[in-house]
Amino acid sequence: MLAMAQNSLTICLSKAERDQKTPNRWTLAVSAHIETGSQTPLDAIIDITLDGKPLVAKHSQQLTADPLGSVKSDFVITIPNNIPITSWYPNDVADNTQQLYSLQVRLSFTRQSGSVGSDQTNRFPDHKSDAEPDPRRWPHFEVNGHRVFAKGSNWIPANVLQEDLTEAYVRDLLVSTVSANMNMLRVWGGGVYESDVFYGNNEIESVIAAFVSDERHKQNYRELFVKHMQTLVTAGDTSRPFVTSSPSNGLRDKVENYTAKDPGDLRYGDVHSYNYMSPQWDSSVYPRDKFISEYGQLSYTSLDTWRTALPDSDTTYQTSSSVRHKNRLGDSVLPLLAQKAFTTHQYYTDLDMLSGIVQNEGTSLAQMVAPGIQNMTITVEKFAELVNASKALFYGLNKTTITEFYVKHVNNSDPQAMRQAYYDYYGDLLIKCPTYLFAKKYQELSAGKSNAHFYELTYQGKGVGWLCPAGQLCHGAEVLAEA
């Protein structure tokens, strides 16, 4: 008997679109992915239903797994007339069209001793999304033949601890998205793969969920995102164009071999706009482009938090001075470089300043800036060479003095010790010394009107940060610190 635990089934709805020859009929492209522990051919019986009505009944098929135990079975199905389909449109385009349909695929495997099955149910809307393939017009968005003006936001993980998320909390965020008249959510690729609670929620169906140095690095980028990712994604989803990156110039990126000199060209989109220094309520500070997929802004505290301390009158536009005080970094505290602000006293002196560092700031930062350095053999000469390279960003460094200071108490024949000495130098240069100097100068120049507090994090119960070896506290570790 074939054990149930040996098989798992995943449904992938590749495409749902109108029949080209008969516009009032729809077709579904369905892929069933089966993971099995058996290397022998499986005699399967496949049943597919839509909202409980049969589309495929008792279809017999022999499935043979590849060497990794994976099987894929594809179906293109015409939906019968007795199953009414409503064309889906996003929020603010057509009301009451965001209907979900329940697609169930069931596999039964027969054996002399009996039969076992595996099934999965997906909920989905019937819509065809597209982006204009003409590079001169890219991007424009079209859903079921209707051109859509994108109004939306980026979705990042709703909680750093995914297990703390509740369906009610996710639904509240999605309802807020619809209430704000958004019709698109761009799911940030640096987050997590969202759960079925997110994609299966009725409110998400009111918006479109959109997914996405040196020459050696460019080659590696093309190898991963063009050769492999593009091949895999387009094979699994033929319903929409594939874009290799964001920001991007769309299909025009191919002209520059997918590593454009200006991947956020305002003539093409898609563009990221980060502007921390301009007044955020002034619409003229934002670029005019075909499609802006990210706006980087200094976030306000959540409205729920404001209301625990402020009256409602303070939290409506125009906001009160107490609310505007929160975002004074952008246009009031330091609109200038720190050195010039301190020299000209163009900053507020009525704020207490809390500045801090962690014990091993440079370990992860150096690896992010110079991938591969963790495998580099660093001699005294190489150390001096690396210090000299820093002069491109930091004027006036004396490589001889700096090298002698950091390696004088280090075993020069120990590659790991020399590498750590460089990490220490890099952390001091980039984070520790500037942060300490900033706090010190702020205290000195505030003339007793405010206080500057400075800390170094040297202990943490668990979690040490990204690219950080055991026993160290690296850049960003303070966000994981325990009380």
Side-chain angles (χ1 to χ4, degrees), residues 13-290:
L13 181 66
S14 299
K15 188 185 298 185
E17 63 181 1
R18 291 181 183 274
D19 189 299
Q20 297 297 317
K21 297 180 179 179
T22 312
N24 63 337
R25 302 189 72 178
W26 287 78
T27 60
L28 293 179
V30 180
S31 294
H33 297 263
I34 305 103
E35 299 294 332
T36 177
S38 174
Q39 292 295 316
T40 60
L42 302 174
D43 296 320
I45 298 175
I46 302 171
D47 293 274
I48 302 177
T49 63
L50 184 64
D51 280 354
K53 298 178 180 179
L55 297 179
V56 174
K58 305 303 179 184
H59 173 76
S60 298
Q61 185 173 345
Q62 189 175 78
L63 304 176
T64 303
D66 64 20
L68 296 178
S70 179
V71 184
K72 179 183 176 186
S73 184
D74 297 316
F75 299 86
V76 178
I77 306 166
T78 299
I79 300 177
N81 292 331
N82 66 338
I83 303 179
I85 299 296
T86 300
S87 296
W88 181 94
Y89 296 98
N91 186 39
D92 203 34
V93 174
D95 295 330
N96 301 317
T97 65
Q98 292 86 33
Q99 182 173 341
L100 293 175
Y101 302 87
S102 179
L103 176 72
Q104 183 180 63
V105 177
R106 179 170 179 81
L107 275 75
S108 300
F109 303 94
T110 59
R111 289 291 183 269
Q112 291 180 353
S113 56
S115 66
V116 294
S118 179
D119 62 75
Q120 185 184 25
T121 301
N122 274 6
R123 303 174 73 212
F124 68 94
D126 265 321
H127 74 278
K128 182 175 186 255
S129 301
D130 204 356
E132 176 60 57
D134 186 343
R136 295 168 298 178
R137 301 175 63 193
W138 188 90
H140 96 245
F141 297 94
E142 189 173 294
V143 178
N144 284 333
H146 190 98
R147 296 180 71 175
V148 174
F149 182 79
K151 302 176 296 180
S153 182
N154 281 277
W155 178 275
I156 63 172
N159 194 313
V160 69
L161 300 175
Q162 289 288 297
E163 60 271 21
D164 286 350
L165 280 179
T166 64
E167 184 172 355
Y169 183 76
V170 173
R171 179 175 175 78
D172 181 65
L173 291 175
L174 295 175
V175 168
S176 299
T177 298
V178 175
S179 299
N181 294 317
M182 297 182 187
N183 62 18
M184 177 180 286
L185 283 179
R186 175 178 176 268
V187 181
W188 181 53
V192 297
Y193 187 86
E194 291 294 339
S195 67
D196 291 341
V197 170
F198 176 83
Y199 286 109
N201 197 291
N202 282 327
E203 297 302 329
I204 191 61
E205 301 311 339
S206 294
V207 298
I208 306 168
F211 297 90
V212 261
S213 58
D214 62 32
E215 187 57 36
R216 178 173 59 87
H217 293 146
K218 292 179 181 179
Q219 292 173 358
N220 291 340
Y221 170 82
R222 288 189 289 264
E223 176 80 13
L224 176 59
F225 289 98
V226 181
K227 181 178 177 180
H228 296 297
M229 292 299 296
Q230 181 170 253
T231 301
L232 291 170
V233 172
T234 54
D237 183 356
T238 60
S239 66
R240 71 207 85 206
F242 177 86
V243 180
T244 55
S245 72
S246 180
S248 166
N249 295 328
L251 297 181
R252 185 171 176 81
D253 278 350
K254 187 175 181 180
V255 177
E256 297 185 63
N257 200 15
Y258 298 100
T259 49
K261 183 177 180 181
D262 180 9
D265 194 317
L266 290 176
R267 295 175 296 173
Y268 305 106
D270 107 64
V271 169
H272 294 181
S273 173
Y274 284 78
N275 184 350
Y276 299 132
M277 297 304 176
S278 299
Q280 304 294 290
W281 291 109
D282 182 357
S283 61
S284 67
V285 306
Y286 299 103
R288 294 173 174 84
D289 184 44
K290 293 182 178 180

Side-chain angles (χ1 to χ4, degrees), residues 291-353:
F291 182 65
I292 299 180
S293 63
E294 286 189 20
Y295 287 99
Q297 299 171 323
L298 291 170
S299 176
Y300 284 101
T301 304
S302 71
L303 189 59
D304 290 341
T305 301
W306 279 129
R307 284 174 172 164
T308 64
L310 300 173
D312 287 344
S313 59
D314 279 2
T315 59
T316 57
Y317 184 79
Q318 291 267 359
T319 52
S320 68
S321 59
S322 56
V323 173
R324 290 195 299 272
H325 188 84
K326 164 67 174 65
N327 272 22
R328 286 166 66 182
L329 176 62
D331 56 10
S332 299
V333 176
L334 284 177
L336 309 172
L337 292 176
Q339 185 177 9
K340 185 172 182 179
F342 285 148
T343 301
T344 60
H345 290 270
Q346 291 180 264
Y347 66 97
Y348 286 90
T349 59
D350 59 345
L351 300 174
D352 278 3
M353 182 73 67

